[in-house]
Amino acid sequence: SVSIQQTVKCHYLLPLEPGYLYCSSDLYHPLETISLENYKDYIEELPLIDPPEIFDMYQNANISFQKKESMFMVNTILEVQPRLVSVGGGKSSDDIVFELADVMLTKLPEKLDIDTALAEMFEPDDKGRINSLSTVLSQEVSRFNKLLSVIISSLLNLDTSTAALTCITPWRPSPWRTTRTI
C-alpha cells in the first residue's frame, strides 16, 4: 500500500529528530543509544500485541482481526464436534478414531535405524573427525525415535484405555466426544 511505503520511506530512511514518536503511544520511539543492552531492554518493554496505529491503521483493523480470529476458533470447535449419525448406518466417532489410529500405526516405523544410513556419512576425515552434520543427524534420529515411541504407545493405549473406560464406567463420554451434539 502507498501509505505503508510512505511510512517506511519517511520514518526509517531519514534521520529522526529527538523525541520523535512512531505513533501516539510513547512506547514506540527511536532509541538514541547504540548499546545492545538498551535495545534489549526497550524490546522487552514493548507489548506482545502491537496496536494497529503503529502500522498506520485504525482501531477497526484490530476489531476486524479479533472478529476473524473468533470466527476461526468457533469454526474449529464446531468442526471437531461429533456429527449425528443416522439410524441406518455410518461409523460412530469411536470407530473413526480407532480406524485412524490403526492406519497411523501401520504407517509409522517402529524406529529409525541410523545403521541403515549411508556409510560415507559417518566416515572420519583425515584428522579422524566425523562430520558435524552427521553428529547432529544421529542426535536427531535418537530424539525422533523417542518421539515415535511416545506416539506409538499413545496410539496403542488409545484403544485399551477407551475400552477399559467403557467397561468400568459406561456412562462417561469418550475422550474426544462432548456431551452435546449439534
Side-chain angles (χ1 to χ4, degrees):
S1 132
V2 175
S3 175
I4 293 174
Q5 289 175 350
Q6 289 172 346
T7 302
V8 169
K9 283 182 188 175
C10 293
H11 298 306
Y12 301 109
L13 299 180
L14 300 176
L16 302 173
E17 63 269 359
Y20 180 83
L21 297 175
Y22 290 112
C23 66
S24 61
S25 171
D26 59 346
L27 286 174
Y28 300 94
H29 56 83
L31 293 180
E32 297 175 5
T33 180
I34 57 171
S35 163
L36 180 60
E37 282 304 313
N38 287 349
Y39 276 104
K40 287 181 181 179
D41 293 340
Y42 173 72
I43 290 170
E44 288 297 321
E45 292 174 7
L46 293 174
L48 292 175
I49 300 173
D50 296 317
E53 65 180 335
I54 190 66
F55 303 107
D56 202 23
M57 297 179 172
Y58 295 103
Q59 191 62 27
N60 290 347
N62 195 26
I63 293 169
S64 297
F65 170 74
Q66 290 176 356
K67 182 179 176 184
K68 180 181 174 189
E69 286 296 305
S70 298
M71 290 305 296
F72 177 74
M73 185 172 61
V74 167
N75 287 335
T76 302
I77 291 170
L78 290 176
E79 286 175 5
V80 298
Q81 291 225 341
R83 308 292 190 267
L84 290 176
V85 178
S86 64
V87 178
K91 296 179 182 178
S92 71
S93 58
D94 289 351
D95 294 336
I96 293 170
V97 169
F98 293 143
E99 190 176 295
L100 287 172
D102 288 339
V103 168
M104 284 188 243
L105 281 170
T106 59
K107 291 184 177 182
L108 285 174
E110 206 170 304
K111 72 173 199 166
L112 295 180
D113 189 10
I114 198 72
D115 296 331
T116 60
L118 291 174
E120 51 270 359
M121 288 179 59
F122 298 99
E123 289 179 5
D125 63 6
D126 298 339
K127 295 183 180 181
R129 299 173 299 191
I130 295 178
N131 185 345
S132 60
L133 288 177
S134 298
T135 304
V136 171
L137 174 66
S138 62
Q139 291 170 347
E140 290 300 315
V141 165
S142 173
R143 290 177 63 201
F144 188 76
N145 282 337
K146 288 178 187 175
L147 175 64
L148 273 176
S149 160
V150 170
I151 292 171
I152 290 171
S153 169
S154 297
L155 289 172
L156 290 173
N157 288 335
L158 177 68
D159 192 24
T160 56
S161 67
T162 305
L165 182 65
T166 305
C167 293
I168 296 170
T169 57
W171 56 271
R172 283 194 164 172
S174 298
W176 53 85
R177 187 182 302 149
T178 62
T179 55
R180 295 183 325 158
T181 56
I182 297 175

